[in-house]
Amino acid sequence: MKPGVLLALAKTFGGLSLVAVGGANAAVPEIQRQVVGRLHWMDDGAFAHLFAISQAAPGPNVLLVSLIGWRVAGLAGLLVATVAMNLPSSLLAFAAGRAWRRWSASPWIGRLQRVLGPIAVGLIVASGVVMARTSDHGLIAAGLTAAVAAFVVFSRRSPMWALGAAAVAGVALNRLGVGL
Amino acid sequence: MQPSLQPPSPAQLFVPPHVTKAALFLGFLKIGLIGFGGVGPWARRVIVEERGWMAEADYAAVLGFGQILPGANTINAAVIIGDRFQGAAGAAIAVLALLSAPMAVLIAAAALYDRFGSLPDVRGALSGVAVGAAGLVIGTGLKMARKLRPDAIALLVGGCALVAVAAFRAPLLATVLALAPIGVGLSFVRRSPR
């Protein structure tokens, strides 16, 4: 059964790699659809737990895929899922990056670059807003999100302090019986 | 080119440093290890603020480029940045450094969660981090916006991207493919400096 599972991991995430535009967080609903709905590897609750861990732990959010592979087929599953999800897109990025640099003298590329930067910034803020709306359930949570955002904008200290404070606030609110 | 009309932007004054393979490895290892709540915000902090490998505008452009490509944005950016400083080997080093350490941490965290995940305090802390991580992403975007000192066109396309995705959940590829030509077109229309 194990080779079959590994093959399914490779096919599922290899197929996602080149269509996952917008990064790992944008692909999460699709990953959930495949892993829970189509392949029945886990239920929604187990998937939500893995997602929370991948958000709370350090590293790129795409490691959610590694965690799924590990849960489904151990170390081999972790390696297969990670490589399948990242290798095709990395090769494409490598080729595209070189092509981009080759044409960088062109005024069109200069203009495109000056436009892509602001678009990326807009998308980053938007993904934070979307994340906040999926994990925030009330005014207190929204306030906590805003406080961390303000800390990042106005303080030169490492944002780790703000996340640590958010964890402590989560524990404290939980003990007071105020859920986030 | 009309160099006399406008002062050079910080990106033009920036001289890219020489970054060794070891420095690439250590830099991306650090980004992976401290990258709580997603790596993007921390990558900017290490690459632009701490090590001075790239200028703000340059980094934003690479990130934007990595974002329109499929796959994890920060992995794509690591490939492109690694390649820029050390070729294909640099790209491989950057990606491996970015992934390896957090993967080990993640497995340990998953094992711990299996054991202690039902404790109320652990659940509270996890939801606190999740809520805070959203603020971290928003704050990083706002900080980048402030440092880029956007002109009217940049504000327009960036604002449209924000509203399209956050308010209307527009698909990302369509958003970028619609806004990029509009922005480039406007930059041709508005010829005279402010």
Side-chain angles (χ1 to χ4, degrees):
Chain A
M1 130 154 198
K2 218 175 172 194
V5 172
L6 292 181
L7 193 64
L9 277 171
K11 276 192 347 206
T12 304
F13 293 123
L16 265 175
S17 180
L18 289 179
V19 291
V21 173
N25 275 338
V28 166
E30 175 66 15
I31 296 173
Q32 185 173 20
R33 199 180 65 79
Q34 301 254 5
V35 169
V36 178
R38 191 173 69 82
L39 295 157
H40 307 294
W41 281 339
M42 58 192 74
D43 60 15
D44 274 325
F47 184 86
H49 286 178
L50 291 189
F51 178 68
I53 295 169
S54 75
Q55 292 285 316
N61 290 326
V62 71
L63 286 175
L64 167 66
V65 165
S66 316
L67 203 49
I68 291 170
W70 182 73
R71 184 48 56 94
V72 171
L75 185 62
L78 172 129
L79 294 174
V80 167
T82 308
V83 171
M85 184 70 189
N86 290 302
L87 189 62
S89 55
S90 291
L91 292 176
L92 180 69
F94 185 76
R98 291 218 159 166
W100 182 39
R101 206 162 40 161
R102 178 171 315 160
W103 308 119
S104 64
S106 141
W108 283 89
I109 291 293
R111 285 173 193 275
L112 190 59
Q113 231 168 305
R114 279 194 294 277
V115 171
L116 281 183
I119 292 178
V121 171
L123 291 175
I124 288 169
V125 178
S127 101
V129 172
V130 171
M131 279 167 70
R133 277 204 310 225
T134 45
S135 60
D136 291 9
H137 303 295
L139 271 181
I140 299 174
L144 200 52
T145 299
V148 173
F151 181 90
V152 173
V153 173
F154 296 113
S155 168
R156 297 198 62 83
R157 283 176 181 278
S158 164
M160 205 106 77
W161 293 103
L163 278 193
V168 172
V171 172
L173 288 168
N174 199 40
R175 288 205 172 176
L176 292 172
V178 190
L180 275 173
Chain B
M1 283 282 148
Q2 296 146 309
S4 57
L5 286 181
Q6 280 177 321
S9 71
Q12 285 163 320
L13 291 174
F14 187 83
V15 180
H18 177 71
V19 180
T20 63
K21 291 189 175 108
L24 264 183
F25 183 82
L26 290 177
F28 278 97
L29 192 70
K30 174 168 187 187
I31 293 168
L33 269 178
I34 64 171
F36 288 91
V39 154
W42 310 91
R44 188 200 145 275
R45 188 179 168 83
V46 170
I47 291 171
V48 178
E49 283 186 16
E50 211 178 277
R51 315 259 153 134
W53 288 350
M54 298 169 83
E56 187 81 42
D58 200 16
Y59 176 74
V62 168
L63 202 65
F65 191 68
Q67 229 155 10
I68 57 170
L69 296 170
N73 302 329
T74 43
I75 306 270
N76 289 339
V79 167
I80 293 170
I81 294 169
D83 180 39
R84 176 180 292 196
F85 290 117
Q86 289 290 341
I93 287 171
V95 171
L96 286 179
L98 187 58
L99 283 178
S100 53
M103 215 181 295
V105 174
L106 198 60
I107 291 170
L112 285 176
Y113 185 75
D114 284 345
R115 256 187 99 79
F116 304 109
S118 52
L119 296 178
D121 279 353
V122 175
R123 290 189 175 275
L126 263 184
S127 52
V129 170
V131 164
L136 170 60
V137 174
I138 294 172
T140 300
L142 295 178
K143 198 173 183 180
M144 287 178 77
R146 199 175 59 178
K147 295 220 166 141
L148 283 175
R149 277 180 287 160
D151 58 10
I153 296 172
L155 278 178
L156 182 73
V157 291
C160 284
L162 166 60
V163 171
V165 173
F168 299 105
R169 296 288 180 100
L172 191 112
L173 184 63
T175 305
V176 176
L177 289 183
L179 287 175
I182 292 175
V184 171
L186 284 175
S187 75
F188 277 108
V189 171
R190 201 204 53 177
R191 297 223 57 131
S192 55
R194 278 166 299 166

PDB file of all heavy atoms in Angstrom, chain A residues 144 147-149 151-152 155-169, chain B residues 34 36 42 45 128-129 132-133 136:
ATOM      1  N   LEU A 144      -6.106  42.351  18.370  1.00  0.00           N
ATOM      2  CA  LEU A 144      -4.791  41.721  18.513  1.00  0.00           C
ATOM      3  C   LEU A 144      -4.043  41.737  17.178  1.00  0.00           C
ATOM      4  O   LEU A 144      -2.852  42.041  17.108  1.00  0.00           O
ATOM      5  CB  LEU A 144      -4.986  40.285  19.016  1.00  0.00           C
ATOM      6  CG  LEU A 144      -3.800  39.577  19.677  1.00  0.00           C
ATOM      7  CD1 LEU A 144      -3.216  40.432  20.787  1.00  0.00           C
ATOM      8  CD2 LEU A 144      -4.258  38.232  20.223  1.00  0.00           C
ATOM      9  N   ALA A 147      -2.881  45.212  16.578  1.00  0.00           N
ATOM     10  CA  ALA A 147      -1.768  45.579  17.452  1.00  0.00           C
ATOM     11  C   ALA A 147      -0.453  45.016  16.922  1.00  0.00           C
ATOM     12  O   ALA A 147       0.574  45.701  16.906  1.00  0.00           O
ATOM     13  CB  ALA A 147      -2.037  45.065  18.875  1.00  0.00           C
ATOM     14  N   VAL A 148      -0.474  43.752  16.477  1.00  0.00           N
ATOM     15  CA  VAL A 148       0.745  43.156  15.920  1.00  0.00           C
ATOM     16  C   VAL A 148       1.158  43.911  14.653  1.00  0.00           C
ATOM     17  O   VAL A 148       2.341  44.208  14.445  1.00  0.00           O
ATOM     18  CB  VAL A 148       0.545  41.656  15.626  1.00  0.00           C
ATOM     19  CG1 VAL A 148       1.749  41.093  14.894  1.00  0.00           C
ATOM     20  CG2 VAL A 148       0.311  40.885  16.916  1.00  0.00           C
ATOM     21  N   ALA A 149       0.178  44.249  13.809  1.00  0.00           N
ATOM     22  CA  ALA A 149       0.495  44.994  12.586  1.00  0.00           C
ATOM     23  C   ALA A 149       1.150  46.335  12.928  1.00  0.00           C
ATOM     24  O   ALA A 149       2.160  46.714  12.324  1.00  0.00           O
ATOM     25  CB  ALA A 149      -0.777  45.217  11.762  1.00  0.00           C
ATOM     26  N   PHE A 151       2.792  47.112  15.618  1.00  0.00           N
ATOM     27  CA  PHE A 151       4.130  46.861  16.163  1.00  0.00           C
ATOM     28  C   PHE A 151       5.141  46.697  15.028  1.00  0.00           C
ATOM     29  O   PHE A 151       6.235  47.255  15.057  1.00  0.00           O
ATOM     30  CB  PHE A 151       4.099  45.600  17.036  1.00  0.00           C
ATOM     31  CG  PHE A 151       5.421  45.261  17.662  1.00  0.00           C
ATOM     32  CD1 PHE A 151       5.752  45.767  18.914  1.00  0.00           C
ATOM     33  CD2 PHE A 151       6.336  44.453  17.005  1.00  0.00           C
ATOM     34  CE1 PHE A 151       6.966  45.465  19.498  1.00  0.00           C
ATOM     35  CE2 PHE A 151       7.560  44.149  17.585  1.00  0.00           C
ATOM     36  CZ  PHE A 151       7.870  44.659  18.838  1.00  0.00           C
ATOM     37  N   VAL A 152       4.747  45.921  14.020  1.00  0.00           N
ATOM     38  CA  VAL A 152       5.653  45.671  12.894  1.00  0.00           C
ATOM     39  C   VAL A 152       5.957  46.971  12.151  1.00  0.00           C
ATOM     40  O   VAL A 152       7.095  47.231  11.750  1.00  0.00           O
ATOM     41  CB  VAL A 152       5.054  44.631  11.929  1.00  0.00           C
ATOM     42  CG1 VAL A 152       5.893  44.498  10.670  1.00  0.00           C
ATOM     43  CG2 VAL A 152       4.943  43.280  12.616  1.00  0.00           C
ATOM     44  N   SER A 155       7.741  49.655  15.177  1.00  0.00           N
ATOM     45  CA  SER A 155       8.858  49.288  16.042  1.00  0.00           C
ATOM     46  C   SER A 155       9.995  48.707  15.216  1.00  0.00           C
ATOM     47  O   SER A 155       9.764  48.028  14.214  1.00  0.00           O
ATOM     48  CB  SER A 155       8.403  48.267  17.085  1.00  0.00           C
ATOM     49  OG  SER A 155       9.529  47.726  17.735  1.00  0.00           O
ATOM     50  N   ARG A 156      11.215  48.948  15.642  1.00  0.00           N
ATOM     51  CA  ARG A 156      12.358  48.362  14.958  1.00  0.00           C
ATOM     52  C   ARG A 156      12.746  47.023  15.574  1.00  0.00           C
ATOM     53  O   ARG A 156      13.633  46.333  15.097  1.00  0.00           O
ATOM     54  CB  ARG A 156      13.550  49.316  15.001  1.00  0.00           C
ATOM     55  CG  ARG A 156      13.303  50.623  14.269  1.00  0.00           C
ATOM     56  CD  ARG A 156      14.599  51.334  13.961  1.00  0.00           C
ATOM     57  NE  ARG A 156      15.458  50.560  13.086  1.00  0.00           N
ATOM     58  CZ  ARG A 156      15.350  50.537  11.757  1.00  0.00           C
ATOM     59  NH1 ARG A 156      14.428  51.249  11.168  1.00  0.00           N
ATOM     60  NH2 ARG A 156      16.167  49.822  11.034  1.00  0.00           N
ATOM     61  N   ARG A 157      12.082  46.646  16.662  1.00  0.00           N
ATOM     62  CA  ARG A 157      12.380  45.364  17.284  1.00  0.00           C
ATOM     63  C   ARG A 157      11.890  44.212  16.426  1.00  0.00           C
ATOM     64  O   ARG A 157      11.041  44.388  15.571  1.00  0.00           O
ATOM     65  CB  ARG A 157      11.694  45.276  18.648  1.00  0.00           C
ATOM     66  CG  ARG A 157      12.395  46.056  19.726  1.00  0.00           C
ATOM     67  CD  ARG A 157      11.587  45.969  21.004  1.00  0.00           C
ATOM     68  NE  ARG A 157      12.221  46.731  22.066  1.00  0.00           N
ATOM     69  CZ  ARG A 157      13.226  46.268  22.797  1.00  0.00           C
ATOM     70  NH1 ARG A 157      13.686  45.053  22.588  1.00  0.00           N
ATOM     71  NH2 ARG A 157      13.759  47.014  23.738  1.00  0.00           N
ATOM     72  N   SER A 158      12.448  43.029  16.696  1.00  0.00           N
ATOM     73  CA  SER A 158      12.025  41.843  15.940  1.00  0.00           C
ATOM     74  C   SER A 158      10.532  41.576  16.150  1.00  0.00           C
ATOM     75  O   SER A 158      10.036  41.649  17.280  1.00  0.00           O
ATOM     76  CB  SER A 158      12.830  40.632  16.395  1.00  0.00           C
ATOM     77  OG  SER A 158      12.192  39.458  15.969  1.00  0.00           O
ATOM     78  N   PRO A 159       9.808  41.243  15.077  1.00  0.00           N
ATOM     79  CA  PRO A 159       8.367  40.934  15.190  1.00  0.00           C
ATOM     80  C   PRO A 159       8.090  39.715  16.064  1.00  0.00           C
ATOM     81  O   PRO A 159       6.954  39.499  16.466  1.00  0.00           O
ATOM     82  CB  PRO A 159       7.948  40.656  13.742  1.00  0.00           C
ATOM     83  CG  PRO A 159       9.033  41.227  12.902  1.00  0.00           C
ATOM     84  CD  PRO A 159      10.284  41.202  13.705  1.00  0.00           C
ATOM     85  N   MET A 160       9.164  38.936  16.359  1.00  0.00           N
ATOM     86  CA  MET A 160       8.994  37.768  17.221  1.00  0.00           C
ATOM     87  C   MET A 160       8.391  38.169  18.567  1.00  0.00           C
ATOM     88  O   MET A 160       7.594  37.429  19.137  1.00  0.00           O
ATOM     89  CB  MET A 160      10.353  37.112  17.444  1.00  0.00           C
ATOM     90  CG  MET A 160      10.289  35.667  17.787  1.00  0.00           C
ATOM     91  SD  MET A 160      10.781  34.641  16.407  1.00  0.00           S
ATOM     92  CE  MET A 160      12.551  34.796  16.450  1.00  0.00           C
ATOM     93  N   TRP A 161       8.762  39.351  19.072  1.00  0.00           N
ATOM     94  CA  TRP A 161       8.211  39.827  20.347  1.00  0.00           C
ATOM     95  C   TRP A 161       6.695  39.944  20.268  1.00  0.00           C
ATOM     96  O   TRP A 161       5.976  39.558  21.197  1.00  0.00           O
ATOM     97  CB  TRP A 161       8.804  41.188  20.716  1.00  0.00           C
ATOM     98  CG  TRP A 161      10.257  41.131  21.021  1.00  0.00           C
ATOM     99  CD1 TRP A 161      11.283  41.529  20.205  1.00  0.00           C
ATOM    100  CD2 TRP A 161      10.876  40.627  22.213  1.00  0.00           C
ATOM    101  NE1 TRP A 161      12.492  41.307  20.813  1.00  0.00           N
ATOM    102  CE2 TRP A 161      12.270  40.763  22.041  1.00  0.00           C
ATOM    103  CE3 TRP A 161      10.376  40.084  23.397  1.00  0.00           C
ATOM    104  CZ2 TRP A 161      13.176  40.370  23.016  1.00  0.00           C
ATOM    105  CZ3 TRP A 161      11.281  39.694  24.372  1.00  0.00           C
ATOM    106  CH2 TRP A 161      12.669  39.828  24.177  1.00  0.00           C
ATOM    107  N   ALA A 162       6.220  40.485  19.146  1.00  0.00           N
ATOM    108  CA  ALA A 162       4.778  40.680  18.995  1.00  0.00           C
ATOM    109  C   ALA A 162       4.050  39.339  18.916  1.00  0.00           C
ATOM    110  O   ALA A 162       2.987  39.160  19.519  1.00  0.00           O
ATOM    111  CB  ALA A 162       4.496  41.518  17.754  1.00  0.00           C
ATOM    112  N   LEU A 163       4.661  38.370  18.189  1.00  0.00           N
ATOM    113  CA  LEU A 163       4.009  37.060  18.091  1.00  0.00           C
ATOM    114  C   LEU A 163       4.009  36.349  19.435  1.00  0.00           C
ATOM    115  O   LEU A 163       3.032  35.690  19.813  1.00  0.00           O
ATOM    116  CB  LEU A 163       4.721  36.188  17.046  1.00  0.00           C
ATOM    117  CG  LEU A 163       4.349  36.428  15.585  1.00  0.00           C
ATOM    118  CD1 LEU A 163       4.876  35.293  14.726  1.00  0.00           C
ATOM    119  CD2 LEU A 163       2.850  36.559  15.416  1.00  0.00           C
ATOM    120  N   GLY A 164       5.107  36.498  20.179  1.00  0.00           N
ATOM    121  CA  GLY A 164       5.162  35.922  21.522  1.00  0.00           C
ATOM    122  C   GLY A 164       4.083  36.501  22.406  1.00  0.00           C
ATOM    123  O   GLY A 164       3.377  35.783  23.135  1.00  0.00           O
ATOM    124  N   ALA A 165       3.922  37.831  22.323  1.00  0.00           N
ATOM    125  CA  ALA A 165       2.884  38.495  23.111  1.00  0.00           C
ATOM    126  C   ALA A 165       1.495  38.010  22.701  1.00  0.00           C
ATOM    127  O   ALA A 165       0.612  37.818  23.545  1.00  0.00           O
ATOM    128  CB  ALA A 165       2.990  40.017  22.932  1.00  0.00           C
ATOM    129  N   ALA A 166       1.317  37.770  21.397  1.00  0.00           N
ATOM    130  CA  ALA A 166       0.024  37.276  20.921  1.00  0.00           C
ATOM    131  C   ALA A 166      -0.255  35.884  21.483  1.00  0.00           C
ATOM    132  O   ALA A 166      -1.399  35.575  21.856  1.00  0.00           O
ATOM    133  CB  ALA A 166      -0.003  37.251  19.390  1.00  0.00           C
ATOM    134  N   ALA A 167       0.794  35.043  21.567  1.00  0.00           N
ATOM    135  CA  ALA A 167       0.621  33.705  22.140  1.00  0.00           C
ATOM    136  C   ALA A 167       0.215  33.808  23.609  1.00  0.00           C
ATOM    137  O   ALA A 167      -0.713  33.126  24.073  1.00  0.00           O
ATOM    138  CB  ALA A 167       1.915  32.896  21.990  1.00  0.00           C
ATOM    139  N   VAL A 168       0.915  34.705  24.351  1.00  0.00           N
ATOM    140  CA  VAL A 168       0.595  34.894  25.773  1.00  0.00           C
ATOM    141  C   VAL A 168      -0.840  35.417  25.926  1.00  0.00           C
ATOM    142  O   VAL A 168      -1.609  34.938  26.770  1.00  0.00           O
ATOM    143  CB  VAL A 168       1.596  35.871  26.423  1.00  0.00           C
ATOM    144  CG1 VAL A 168       1.155  36.223  27.837  1.00  0.00           C
ATOM    145  CG2 VAL A 168       2.989  35.256  26.426  1.00  0.00           C
ATOM    146  N   ALA A 169      -1.202  36.364  25.068  1.00  0.00           N
ATOM    147  CA  ALA A 169      -2.564  36.904  25.117  1.00  0.00           C
ATOM    148  C   ALA A 169      -3.589  35.811  24.835  1.00  0.00           C
ATOM    149  O   ALA A 169      -4.645  35.755  25.482  1.00  0.00           O
ATOM    150  CB  ALA A 169      -2.718  38.045  24.106  1.00  0.00           C
TER     151      ALA A 169
ATOM    152  N   ILE B  34      13.572  31.479  11.810  1.00  0.00           N
ATOM    153  CA  ILE B  34      12.824  32.490  12.562  1.00  0.00           C
ATOM    154  C   ILE B  34      11.501  32.797  11.892  1.00  0.00           C
ATOM    155  O   ILE B  34      10.725  33.599  12.399  1.00  0.00           O
ATOM    156  CB  ILE B  34      13.618  33.806  12.747  1.00  0.00           C
ATOM    157  CG1 ILE B  34      13.887  34.454  11.395  1.00  0.00           C
ATOM    158  CG2 ILE B  34      14.892  33.592  13.527  1.00  0.00           C
ATOM    159  CD1 ILE B  34      14.469  35.844  11.494  1.00  0.00           C
ATOM    160  N   PHE B  36       8.356  32.566  11.675  1.00  0.00           N
ATOM    161  CA  PHE B  36       7.063  32.197  12.246  1.00  0.00           C
ATOM    162  C   PHE B  36       5.945  32.873  11.465  1.00  0.00           C
ATOM    163  O   PHE B  36       6.051  34.037  11.105  1.00  0.00           O
ATOM    164  CB  PHE B  36       6.983  32.597  13.716  1.00  0.00           C
ATOM    165  CG  PHE B  36       7.836  31.738  14.594  1.00  0.00           C
ATOM    166  CD1 PHE B  36       9.141  32.090  14.862  1.00  0.00           C
ATOM    167  CD2 PHE B  36       7.333  30.563  15.127  1.00  0.00           C
ATOM    168  CE1 PHE B  36       9.938  31.297  15.656  1.00  0.00           C
ATOM    169  CE2 PHE B  36       8.128  29.756  15.920  1.00  0.00           C
ATOM    170  CZ  PHE B  36       9.423  30.129  16.188  1.00  0.00           C
ATOM    171  N   TRP B  42       9.918  37.851   7.330  1.00  0.00           N
ATOM    172  CA  TRP B  42      11.258  37.685   7.897  1.00  0.00           C
ATOM    173  C   TRP B  42      12.305  37.722   6.801  1.00  0.00           C
ATOM    174  O   TRP B  42      13.419  38.195   7.022  1.00  0.00           O
ATOM    175  CB  TRP B  42      11.330  36.364   8.646  1.00  0.00           C
ATOM    176  CG  TRP B  42      10.205  36.193   9.604  1.00  0.00           C
ATOM    177  CD1 TRP B  42       9.005  35.600   9.350  1.00  0.00           C
ATOM    178  CD2 TRP B  42      10.134  36.677  10.944  1.00  0.00           C
ATOM    179  NE1 TRP B  42       8.214  35.656  10.466  1.00  0.00           N
ATOM    180  CE2 TRP B  42       8.877  36.303  11.457  1.00  0.00           C
ATOM    181  CE3 TRP B  42      11.029  37.365  11.771  1.00  0.00           C
ATOM    182  CZ2 TRP B  42       8.478  36.610  12.749  1.00  0.00           C
ATOM    183  CZ3 TRP B  42      10.634  37.655  13.049  1.00  0.00           C
ATOM    184  CH2 TRP B  42       9.368  37.288  13.533  1.00  0.00           C
ATOM    185  N   ARG B  45      13.129  41.228   6.187  1.00  0.00           N
ATOM    186  CA  ARG B  45      13.899  41.782   7.296  1.00  0.00           C
ATOM    187  C   ARG B  45      15.371  41.396   7.201  1.00  0.00           C
ATOM    188  O   ARG B  45      16.265  42.232   7.344  1.00  0.00           O
ATOM    189  CB  ARG B  45      13.296  41.293   8.615  1.00  0.00           C
ATOM    190  CG  ARG B  45      13.891  41.938   9.835  1.00  0.00           C
ATOM    191  CD  ARG B  45      13.226  41.430  11.102  1.00  0.00           C
ATOM    192  NE  ARG B  45      13.995  41.852  12.261  1.00  0.00           N
ATOM    193  CZ  ARG B  45      13.871  43.041  12.820  1.00  0.00           C
ATOM    194  NH1 ARG B  45      12.990  43.893  12.364  1.00  0.00           N
ATOM    195  NH2 ARG B  45      14.619  43.375  13.857  1.00  0.00           N
ATOM    196  N   GLY B 128      -3.723  32.362  19.484  1.00  0.00           N
ATOM    197  CA  GLY B 128      -3.100  33.675  19.601  1.00  0.00           C
ATOM    198  C   GLY B 128      -2.074  33.912  18.508  1.00  0.00           C
ATOM    199  O   GLY B 128      -2.036  34.979  17.890  1.00  0.00           O
ATOM    200  N   VAL B 129      -1.243  32.899  18.260  1.00  0.00           N
ATOM    201  CA  VAL B 129      -0.220  33.025  17.207  1.00  0.00           C
ATOM    202  C   VAL B 129      -0.872  33.170  15.839  1.00  0.00           C
ATOM    203  O   VAL B 129      -0.434  33.977  15.008  1.00  0.00           O
ATOM    204  CB  VAL B 129       0.727  31.808  17.232  1.00  0.00           C
ATOM    205  CG1 VAL B 129       1.625  31.810  16.010  1.00  0.00           C
ATOM    206  CG2 VAL B 129       1.572  31.838  18.495  1.00  0.00           C
ATOM    207  N   GLY B 132      -2.130  36.639  15.549  1.00  0.00           N
ATOM    208  CA  GLY B 132      -1.014  37.562  15.439  1.00  0.00           C
ATOM    209  C   GLY B 132      -0.316  37.474  14.087  1.00  0.00           C
ATOM    210  O   GLY B 132       0.132  38.492  13.545  1.00  0.00           O
ATOM    211  N   ALA B 133      -0.240  36.258  13.523  1.00  0.00           N
ATOM    212  CA  ALA B 133       0.451  36.078  12.249  1.00  0.00           C
ATOM    213  C   ALA B 133      -0.210  36.886  11.139  1.00  0.00           C
ATOM    214  O   ALA B 133       0.471  37.430  10.257  1.00  0.00           O
ATOM    215  CB  ALA B 133       0.484  34.594  11.874  1.00  0.00           C
ATOM    216  N   LEU B 136       1.090  40.281  11.476  1.00  0.00           N
ATOM    217  CA  LEU B 136       2.473  40.341  10.998  1.00  0.00           C
ATOM    218  C   LEU B 136       2.515  40.535   9.481  1.00  0.00           C
ATOM    219  O   LEU B 136       3.279  41.358   8.966  1.00  0.00           O
ATOM    220  CB  LEU B 136       3.178  39.045  11.406  1.00  0.00           C
ATOM    221  CG  LEU B 136       4.560  38.764  10.836  1.00  0.00           C
ATOM    222  CD1 LEU B 136       5.531  39.844  11.233  1.00  0.00           C
ATOM    223  CD2 LEU B 136       5.067  37.411  11.334  1.00  0.00           C
TER     224      LEU B 136
END
